[in-house]
Amino acid sequence: KEFYAKAGEATALIQSGKQMPEIFDSPYKGMQAENGGVIGMLEVIESDFARLEADTTAAEATAQKEYDSFMTESKVDKAAKTTDVEHKTAKKQDESQALTTKNADLEGTQKELDAALAYFDKLKPSCVDAGVSYEDRVARRKEEIESLQEALRILNGEDLA
């Protein structure tokens, strides 16, 4: 700052003598007092840099907090989902084993049913006489009753006439 403060008083490069135009009332001393010159520019750059550094530091801190929060939530979520996968895998294995057992039971039961149906088909003709009509059965039953009554009379000793 000291160097630039003395620069306004330096006369090494100033044209001197009678060659000055009439519009100048005093010798030209530069524009250091108005704009601050190089020092002013450096101070502006320094303040801009300080503001940028503060903004960047704040943004980095915010981003770090968000990252830490995200990572914590992700770890918790991953642990929960891992546990869920383990439970579902175990449940699937149990259900698969139950399905295998049920299929084996179904196969055994189906064999028993097939055997029972075959035996039923074998017994059906002897139990159900499908070839005789209702009238024929009534007539046979009537004959059977008459023959049983005749046998009863014979046993009782009644006269056969």
Side-chain angles (χ1 to χ4, degrees), residues 21-47:
E22 296 175 10
I23 57 171
F24 293 118
D25 297 336
S26 64
Y28 180 71
K29 302 226 181 205
M31 296 173 49
Q32 279 88 4
E34 292 181 17
N35 292 334
V38 174
I39 296 298
M41 187 186 321
L42 289 176
E43 288 174 351
V44 169
I45 291 171
E46 182 183 16
S47 68

Side-chain angles (χ1 to χ4, degrees), residues 78-98:
K78 182 180 178 185
K81 287 182 180 180
T82 301
T83 304
D84 193 32
V85 165
E86 290 172 359
H87 289 305
K88 286 183 179 183
T89 302
K91 184 177 179 182
K92 179 187 171 207
Q93 187 177 7
D94 292 344
E95 295 295 329
S96 176
Q97 188 175 6

